[in-house]
Amino acid sequence: MLSARDNDALTRVGPGTPMGELMRQYWIPACLSSELEPDGEPMRLLLLGEQLIAFRDSAGRIGIMEHRCPHRCASLFFGRNEQNGLRCVYHGWKFDVEGNCLEMPNVPASQDFKSKVKTKAYKVVERAGLVWTYMGPRAEAPPLPEIEALMLPEDERSLRVHQRECNWLQSLEGDIDTSHFGFLHIGSVDADDVDPATMHRWSIVDRAPDYHTRETEWGTMYTAYREAEPGTYYYRFAHFLLPFFTHTPNGSFHDQIQCTINVPMDDTHTMTYNVGWTKRTPPLQTLKTGEPIPGLPPDMTYLPRTNDWYGRWRLAANRDNDYFIDREMQRRSNYSGIQGIGRQDQAMIECMGEIVDRSLEHLAPSDRMIMVTRRRLLNAARDLQNDKKVPATVDGAHIYRGARGGAFLAPMDLDWGEAYTRNLRNAFSPLGMLMAQAAE
Ligand code: FES
Ligand SMILES: [Fe+2]
């Protein structure tokens, strides 16, 4: 349970809000690189509650700027993207990707004041198939986060995106709420139904594990653990990484390189990106017969794209159609009756309402990660607000290298933190990163 004041502080992201200011210290994924073509159509972009326009100029550079033209505030969405600049169609003023006014053709040359006009434009870089923007206060932007999944070579990287009609924190808390996995996603599966050799069957044998959680330099981490082979625990580790990244536990720790990013479009809409390594060992997906686990195969069909502020990457299964729930399937084979792991998650986090009233909750010991993560975020936002102190990850991009999610077996008499460090040291990294060093 959370007070209305704290809930507000955690969920509001506009300029001047505690969480909005915290996020603005970091680079923020704005859209996919593939969404912007040189001299292509300008695109409406909603980011942290700000209405922006994104475009790629003739030279391939990207501009992300205030959508209102600084002349008389017509929207640059209607602009002409031509010859290295975006031209407002109202009176023809033209701007480059940095927001400089290049031409002012409706004003006599003698009265031209274009050198004095600049529209708000944010810094932009591209990495991992994403366009990143820096909306913060510094003249020099901080480094990009050294998150392993975001540094993979393009041909070994999977990238998916979809929009969620709810607040960013609700979306993120779905990622770190591990206890739902044994119910929402695989609630209809018995331990006997899966390959007896897979270690992941322990998550089915025991659906009520214990937890360890702790704050870390990058954010927070937890492990869910339960007894497995004699003398061992089956651990599932996952992380929250400031300000909006997660590493989920669904796979083998050894090679599970994955990252989810929950970027607030505004207070009630979130763009969720999933980045992963295509060569990782697949997580538990099939029954021992080789058939897919009922309800698990994804179906991320999108609605047609529109130019609306909310028109990109919306899923066909949504709140209006109850995510196509099939009650017959729910009775017979699939615990939720909703098809696809992503859609199941989407239904649960959106059905709470746009911004869930957390004063109504009754959190359980299984929600400890959610509790410590809220506290971590609130403290980080308040340190910034009261003492102008930024989290270490803003400048220490390498800190993120110490975080890896996934499952492994370890001896019971080994401390859980030590078990994590040892497995990180031995983890496979396609980048040849010295994971062990990062962990120390
Ligand atoms: S409003 Fe854009 S040029 Fe006048
Ligand atoms: Fe889930």
Side-chain angles (χ1 to χ4, degrees):
M1 131 153 204
L2 204 64
S3 69
R5 186 167 167 267
D6 284 351
N7 203 26
D8 234 43
L10 282 167
T11 52
R12 306 287 171 182
V13 295
T17 59
M19 200 51 59
E21 290 305 301
L22 182 68
M23 289 184 181
R24 283 170 174 80
Q25 304 304 312
Y26 295 87
W27 283 98
I28 295 165
C31 62
L32 303 186
S33 284
S34 57
E35 289 183 90
L36 299 171
E37 296 280 334
D39 288 337
E41 293 178 20
M43 185 174 88
R44 286 195 177 102
L45 186 67
L46 198 51
L47 222 45
L48 306 191
E50 297 187 34
Q51 293 184 320
L52 305 167
I53 290 295
F55 71 103
R56 196 188 286 273
D57 74 7
S58 321
R61 293 169 301 200
I62 292 174
I64 292 185
M65 58 178 62
E66 157 69 41
H67 91 105
R68 281 167 298 219
C69 173
H71 176 215
R72 290 199 52 243
C73 301
S75 180
L76 290 168
F77 166 73
F78 296 99
R80 301 167 62 93
N81 185 8
E82 57 188 22
Q83 291 153 352
N84 283 323
L86 188 58
R87 188 185 295 283
C88 180
V89 292
Y90 206 179
H91 312 93
W93 292 17
K94 183 176 176 183
F95 303 90
D96 68 11
V97 292
E98 289 168 352
N100 301 305
C101 184
L102 303 174
E103 292 172 28
M104 203 175 264
N106 67 326
V107 176
S110 59
Q111 296 164 37
D112 184 306
F113 60 103
K114 63 175 184 280
S115 63
K116 296 201 176 69
V117 175
K118 186 158 181 165
T119 190
K120 181 164 74 178
Y122 293 123
K123 289 188 172 56
V124 176
V125 293
E126 292 182 77
R127 196 175 85 192
L130 297 167
V131 177
W132 299 71
T133 189
Y134 177 66
M135 301 166 76
R138 298 184 184 184
E140 280 297 310
L144 283 160
E146 292 178 22
I147 292 175
E148 209 175 11
L150 303 174
M151 300 164 83
L152 290 165
E154 192 180 346
D155 59 347
E156 295 183 15
R157 183 185 62 226
S158 62
L159 175 57
R160 272 188 332 181
V161 58
H162 65 283
Q163 191 185 139
R164 291 181 152 172
E165 291 181 273
C166 67
N167 180 258
W168 76 279
L169 185 63
Q170 237 154 287
S171 185
L172 186 140
E173 287 181 350
D175 297 344
I176 57 174
D177 172 332
T178 192
S179 133
H180 76 265
F181 183 75
F183 299 90
L184 178 68
H185 300 314
I186 56 166
S188 54
V189 179
D190 290 328
D192 293 342
D193 295 337
V194 299
D195 177 0
T198 172
M199 68 169 170
H200 301 303
R201 80 189 173 87
W202 296 110
S203 63
I204 304 171
V205 172
D206 180 355
R207 295 177 210 248
D210 280 319
Y211 293 85
H212 295 298
T213 55
R214 79 169 179 222
E215 294 196 5
T216 60
E217 232 189 339
W218 56 80
T220 53
M221 68 188 279
Y222 76 81
T223 185
Y225 65 101
R226 62 265 273 176
E227 241 179 288
E229 316 291 350
T232 68
Y233 285 131
Y234 169 70
Y235 285 104
R236 291 178 93 221
F237 277 85
H239 304 267
F240 157 69
L241 303 89
L242 282 160
F244 39 47
F245 305 100
T246 58
H247 290 183
T248 57
N250 195 22
S252 163
F253 187 92
H254 182 64
D255 63 1
Q256 199 212 205
I257 295 159
Q258 173 278 342
C259 178
T260 303
I261 320 173
N262 288 290
V263 181
M265 300 169 72
D266 59 13
D267 291 346
T268 54
H269 296 78
T270 304
M271 203 60 95
T272 298
Y273 301 88
N274 293 285
V275 190
W277 190 36
T278 52
K279 297 186 173 171
R280 62 181 270 202
T281 310
L284 185 62
Q285 289 171 322
T286 53
L287 303 171
K288 65 184 176 194
T289 57
E291 295 288 304
I293 289 177
L296 224 54
D299 176 7
M300 305 291 268
T301 306
Y302 295 100
L303 290 176
R305 191 181 174 98
T306 74
N307 285 325
D308 188 82
W309 293 108
Y310 303 106
R312 301 161 44 239
W313 310 115
R314 293 166 306 153
L315 294 176
N318 56 44
R319 197 182 269 144
D320 294 339
N321 50 38
D322 292 322
Y323 308 89
F324 303 135
I325 187 169
D326 180 334
R327 297 288 183 185
E328 184 59 20
M329 192 158 73
Q330 190 183 53
R331 267 190 292 275
R332 285 171 177 276
S333 59
N334 163 355
Y335 192 80
S336 67
I338 297 169
Q339 182 63 41
I341 192 164
R343 188 187 296 175
Q344 291 158 5
D345 285 329
Q346 188 98 344
M348 293 304 104
I349 60 160
E350 289 183 350
C351 73
M352 298 170 180
E354 288 181 328
I355 303 181
V356 62
D357 178 352
R358 292 178 169 84
S359 71
L360 301 174
E361 295 173 333
H362 296 79
L363 295 186
S366 55
D367 300 310
R368 275 170 59 192
M369 177 61 172
I370 286 176
M371 297 181 221
V372 298
T373 300
R374 289 178 188 172
R375 193 169 61 231
R376 183 83 166 89
L377 275 164
L378 277 172
N379 288 340
R382 286 185 182 140
D383 283 351
L384 179 66
Q385 197 175 30
N386 300 333
D387 305 322
K388 304 268 173 283
K389 193 173 151 228
V390 298
T393 41
V394 170
D395 294 294
H398 63 283
I399 292 169
Y400 292 111
R401 294 186 181 210
R404 169 74 71 93
F408 58 73
L409 296 175
M412 274 179 178
D413 55 6
L414 190 62
D415 170 75
W416 71 281
E418 181 58 23
Y420 177 78
T421 306
R422 281 192 199 175
N423 275 273
L424 190 60
R425 194 174 292 140
N426 296 324
F428 183 75
S429 166
L431 306 178
M433 279 185 186
L434 297 172
M435 303 298 285
Q437 279 182 7
E440 282 158 6

